[in-house]
Amino acid sequence: MLQNPGNEGTSIRLAILDDYQDVAIHSAEQDWADLRRALRPENAHLVIQVFKDPIPTEDLVTVLRPFEVICTMRERTPFTAELFEALPNLKLLTTTGPVNRSIDIEAAKKRGITVAGTGATGNSTVEHIWGLLLSVARNIPAYDRGVKDPTGPWQSLSGVSSRELPTGLMGKTIGLVGFGRLGSAVAKIADAFGMNVVAWSQNLTVDKISPEQQEYVQIVSKRELFETSDFISIHLVLSPRSHGIIGFGDLQLMKRSAIIINTSRGPIIDEEALLRVLREGGIRGAGIDVFDKEPLSEDSPWRQLGDRVVLTPHVGYVETRNYQKFWEDTVWNVDTWLDGKNEYVHELTGL
């Protein structure tokens, strides 16, 4: 151990960022303990500091400057070239998951900083998509509130018009914006529900989906998808090309009875346009897990929309096994760096 960090008696400072749910240590408790024990023969001391709350941008340099190792959670704290330049002690940056588009990897490499990712497991986001979709379609949050209110009539709704009965799925059309791993998994479940499936993305053509998928998925234009779908689910990767790709004009094409689900990234949809359409009743509702700025501010307009909009705090990927994989692999990456082995779970080299 300790071929990288240096001399006997070294204190190695490690920061865990944005651990909102306080799970980073508990998800791999034995692994962290083993890592600490492995350091002892070299007379080294591993100092771990966990930051549960986001560090304000203006304080990042001051707070993070002492750390040799920083473990990031997803894309919650961006690491820019300017930030890397201001952190002379940083030698290893780990991120949960195999991809993190908020890290300037080339800038890190130029400064000799290793950036390593982790694996992921399970199908949590797909399950969350259907959880949101069914919650909105079946008015589940509103019915839940009604049942818990002993003063209201039975089967009453809270925050939803009493005329908006639950809507079924069979025979309805779901439009998938993006048809990669997640989109194709959602399509398979939609087919099991007896739904019609249409899909669109900028480069999607029939020959890019399997013969089996062609039996139940129809590739359509963007306009047709927004005009004909009863449900729309977003599955694009956020990039300069997809930023704001769904605007007010697209949302205006939707049926007034339609529901939109976004578990991808907030900026893919023009947020102000979506808020406007929801306020004006242009569509039935939405299930939203991602936002332009996270966490939401206390006065965020998203908090004012009632139960026709079901909101979750970017937890589509959150699941026990996934978190265990994230943090066990993170410890592995730290141990690998300390040992100078250069055998990381997933070394990020560019996006």
Side-chain angles (χ1 to χ4, degrees):
M1 299 289 291
L2 290 175
Q3 294 175 17
N4 264 356
N7 301 320
E8 288 191 0
T10 298
S11 282
I12 304 157
R13 300 200 59 176
L14 181 151
I16 297 173
L17 304 188
D18 302 308
D19 187 15
Y20 299 162
Q21 296 162 307
D22 194 22
V23 293
I25 298 298
H26 302 300
S27 294
E29 205 153 5
Q30 188 59 53
D31 297 77
W32 288 112
D34 291 344
L35 179 63
R36 289 178 186 272
R37 278 194 293 271
L39 286 165
R40 286 176 186 168
E42 302 288 345
N43 194 30
H45 182 51
L46 182 64
V47 180
I48 300 176
Q49 187 168 352
V50 178
F51 296 87
K52 289 183 59 178
D53 298 321
I55 300 170
T57 302
E58 62 271 18
D59 296 333
L60 278 173
V61 172
T62 301
V63 173
L64 298 182
R65 185 181 291 270
F67 294 97
E68 289 86 14
V69 179
I70 296 175
C71 304
T72 67
M73 182 59 187
R74 303 286 288 184
E75 298 170 352
R76 294 172 180 173
T77 296
F79 277 79
T80 62
E82 292 74 21
L83 182 56
F84 282 127
E85 289 176 6
L87 301 177
N89 296 315
L90 181 60
K91 301 296 185 293
L92 172 68
L93 177 67
T94 74
T95 178
T96 52
V99 175
N100 189 325
R101 288 177 169 79
S102 69
I103 297 174
D104 189 331
I105 296 170
E106 291 305 313
K109 288 171 62 177
K110 288 178 181 177
R111 298 193 63 81
I113 299 168
T114 297
V115 182
T118 74
T121 188
N123 219 19
S124 179
T125 302
V126 173
E127 294 164 4
H128 197 75
I129 289 165
W130 285 103
L132 287 173
L133 189 151
L134 288 166
S135 292
V136 183
R138 302 292 309 174
N139 296 333
I140 290 174
Y143 280 127
D144 174 74
R145 291 177 186 270
V147 172
K148 291 174 180 175
D149 179 4
T151 66
W154 188 244
Q155 293 190 357
S156 64
L157 292 169
S158 172
V160 177
S161 168
S162 60
R163 290 171 298 196
E164 289 186 357
L165 295 173
T167 182
L169 306 187
M170 183 177 290
K172 299 292 180 64
T173 297
I174 184 168
L176 307 178
V177 179
F179 197 73
R181 180 181 64 85
L182 293 178
S184 59
V186 170
K188 192 170 185 179
I189 296 169
D191 183 52
F193 271 120
M195 303 179 76
N196 305 309
V197 183
V198 298
W200 170 86
S201 69
Q202 289 164 307
N203 297 316
L204 184 61
T205 55
V206 174
D207 61 296
K208 292 185 178 179
I209 66 175
S210 70
E212 179 189 358
Q213 290 168 338
Q214 291 175 26
E215 294 180 5
Y216 59 89
V217 179
Q218 182 182 2
I219 308 305
V220 297
S221 68
K222 184 183 183 186
R223 183 181 185 89
E224 183 177 351
L225 184 144
F226 277 88
E227 285 182 334
T228 63
S229 296
D230 300 291
F231 304 89
I232 293 176
S233 185
I234 313 302
H235 307 288
L236 296 175
V237 172
L238 181 61
S239 68
R241 194 179 183 194
S242 65
H243 193 288
I245 196 170
I246 299 172
F248 184 64
D250 301 308
L251 299 172
Q252 280 189 306
L253 296 173
M254 294 174 66
K255 302 176 182 180
R256 291 183 68 85
S257 59
I259 292 168
I260 191 165
I261 308 296
N262 189 8
T263 58
S264 183
R265 290 294 184 272
I268 290 172
I269 305 177
D270 182 328
E271 187 169 85
E272 287 303 316
L274 180 56
L275 285 166
R276 176 182 170 184
V277 168
L278 288 166
R279 288 194 197 100
E280 295 175 355
I283 59 176
R284 176 187 173 108
I288 306 295
D289 185 50
V290 288
F291 308 90
D292 280 10
K293 186 176 181 180
E294 301 172 7
L296 291 178
S297 62
E298 291 183 9
D299 61 349
S300 169
W302 284 110
R303 300 184 189 272
Q304 319 300 323
L305 292 175
D307 285 336
R308 288 198 310 165
V309 178
V310 178
L311 307 178
T312 52
H314 201 154
V315 292
Y317 61 92
V318 174
E319 191 254 348
T320 302
R321 291 168 300 172
N322 212 20
Y323 267 45
Q324 288 173 341
K325 179 67 173 172
F326 279 173
W327 294 108
E328 288 170 2
D329 283 0
T330 294
V331 176
W332 174 276
N333 284 333
V334 175
D335 190 21
T336 293
W337 175 75
L338 290 169
D339 240 358
K341 293 178 181 176
N342 199 32
E343 298 173 359
Y344 303 100
V345 174
H346 187 88
E347 185 168 0
L348 305 184
T349 56
L351 298 175

